[in-house]
Amino acid sequence: MELIRGLHNLRARHHGCVATIGNYDGVHRGHQAVLKQLSEQALRLQLPSTVMVFEPTPREFFSPEQAPARISSLREKLEDLSGTGIERILCVRFDREFAALSPQDFIARVLVNGLGIRYLAVGDDFRFGRRREGDFGLLKQAGDMQGFEVSNMQPYCLQGTRVSSTRVREALAAGEVQKAAQLMGRPYRISGRVETGQQLGRTLGVPTANLPLRKRRAIRYGVYAARVDTLHGKGLPAVVSVGVRPTVTVNDCLLEAHLLDFADNLYGQRISVQLLQFLRPEKHFPSLDVLREEMNQDIARARAWLQDNS
């Protein structure tokens, strides 16, 4: 897979493709169905498949306080997209200049001159261009004039309900990680590089690998049974806390993973944490001694769940 960072990095060799455009947050089963359709069209037309995504998302740019929490980081999104067989990802910087493009300029500059689109798959509610003036109908008209096909992506339903990023966020916000996994087609994960923290867990006899969550995540704060992929192995059992640690008055959101029966140093390593079962919500404890007791109970609950569900 090739990552193209920004419109300015489009080259002549990128001209001529089939493409889809969207946020693709979570790369859930609905997204996967679209990407499968796109790959089939790429094979039919003998052209590379391309996904265009935005960083930040348009809603994060215009209304950062009201924008939905992210399911996945940009890096996780790119990793998940690469696993679908898509050949290229165009990551466009969504800024004031890009937001000011008229729909006609977007079509001409990005789709026709930049990518040389031959087939485009978008939802029938897709809006684009300045003040979201462009719509599916305008794309169809442009396609007829410029010689590219425009296809309406059909909703993907699971058990009679449409799969969407919104539904995944709702499940995660409720701590329903197994439901989220059904919608995504895989366990929900958070990945990152382990950083040195206050080492409170080590002081309490429960050392943790800490991942600061610098962008708001669509996940209920609390404790989870989990499995962790590291350089030392995959699927290592763990108990994980996600939240702001109210007992020690830390406000920044942090993921703390205690790997069971594991003693190696993970500082500086990238790890991937799969949240498998919600155990309890985050809460404030009156003392560190009470916190230590609860952490030991969390470990026992996580160990029991993981053994029963291995």
Side-chain angles (χ1 to χ4, degrees):
M1 184 208 76
E2 179 184 7
L3 173 61
I4 308 166
R5 292 185 175 274
L7 297 173
H8 61 285
N9 281 319
L10 285 173
R11 301 290 183 261
R13 62 186 175 83
H14 298 131
H15 198 269
C17 66
V18 304
T20 184
I21 305 171
N23 291 326
Y24 281 87
D25 193 18
V27 193
H28 53 64
R29 282 181 164 176
H31 294 143
Q32 294 163 33
V34 172
L35 299 175
K36 180 180 178 183
Q37 171 188 332
L38 194 69
S39 294
E40 290 170 352
Q41 295 299 324
L43 184 62
R44 175 177 69 90
L45 296 172
Q46 293 296 292
L47 290 170
S49 54
T50 300
V51 176
M52 184 191 302
V53 298
F54 305 104
E55 183 65 23
T57 68
R59 290 186 66 182
E60 287 173 342
F61 175 78
F62 288 112
S63 304
E65 298 303 320
Q66 286 75 44
R70 290 199 180 196
I71 299 169
S72 305
S73 68
L74 175 62
R75 179 167 181 155
E76 290 163 352
K77 179 193 300 186
L78 297 178
E79 289 172 350
D80 291 337
L81 286 171
S82 69
T84 66
I86 291 298
E87 295 166 79
R88 294 172 182 164
I89 300 175
L90 171 61
C91 185
V92 175
R93 179 70 181 173
F94 198 95
D95 55 17
R96 196 169 302 280
E97 179 183 356
F98 186 82
L101 286 176
S102 70
Q104 292 77 14
D105 286 342
F106 176 88
I107 292 170
R109 177 182 171 187
V110 180
L111 301 184
V112 177
N113 297 329
L115 289 172
I117 290 281
R118 292 280 305 281
Y119 176 95
L120 178 65
V122 294
D124 57 8
D125 59 349
F126 178 68
R127 310 288 297 197
F128 65 98
R130 183 181 54 223
R131 294 187 292 273
R132 303 180 76 244
E133 295 169 346
D135 58 13
F136 185 82
L138 182 60
L139 282 174
K140 288 285 288 184
Q141 293 176 13
D144 292 341
M145 294 179 60
Q146 299 287 346
F148 61 86
E149 300 177 58
V150 181
S151 174
N152 175 17
M153 299 185 299
Q154 297 301 311
Y156 180 87
C157 294
L158 188 65
Q159 298 175 342
T161 304
R162 179 175 180 174
V163 176
S164 67
S165 295
T166 298
R167 285 200 65 209
V168 175
R169 290 189 193 98
E170 290 171 349
L172 293 173
E176 298 174 347
V177 287
Q178 293 186 33
K179 180 178 179 180
Q182 290 178 340
L183 298 170
M184 298 175 71
R186 63 189 183 284
Y188 176 66
R189 83 182 198 283
I190 296 175
S191 61
R193 193 172 300 281
V194 176
E195 295 188 4
T196 304
Q198 294 179 313
Q199 298 189 330
L200 177 62
R202 188 173 299 277
T203 301
L204 296 175
V206 186
T208 60
N210 299 335
L211 300 182
L213 304 182
R214 295 184 173 86
K215 284 187 179 290
R216 188 163 57 98
R217 287 294 191 109
I219 186 66
R220 184 180 182 185
Y221 289 174
V223 177
Y224 295 81
R227 292 197 180 274
V228 179
D229 294 342
T230 75
L231 294 177
H232 300 274
K234 294 187 178 297
L236 303 177
V239 58
V240 168
S241 173
V242 181
V244 294
R245 299 189 293 173
T247 302
V248 293
T249 63
V250 174
N251 295 318
D252 293 334
C253 188
L254 186 71
L255 181 150
E256 300 172 284
H258 172 67
L259 279 68
L260 307 182
D261 308 316
F262 182 89
D264 288 328
N265 188 342
L266 295 175
Y267 291 133
Q269 291 187 30
R270 285 197 64 83
I271 65 173
S272 179
V273 181
Q274 297 180 355
L275 303 182
L276 303 178
Q277 174 67 23
F278 183 76
L279 299 178
R280 67 164 176 85
E282 181 178 59
K283 54 187 176 181
H284 178 271
F285 296 98
S287 69
L288 292 181
D289 286 338
V290 177
L291 172 60
R292 180 191 293 111
E293 181 180 345
E294 185 71 19
M295 290 170 71
N296 288 328
Q297 292 179 18
D298 292 336
I299 291 170
R301 285 192 289 263
R303 190 185 298 276
W305 188 92
L306 291 165
Q307 288 176 347
D308 291 343
N309 293 272
S310 60

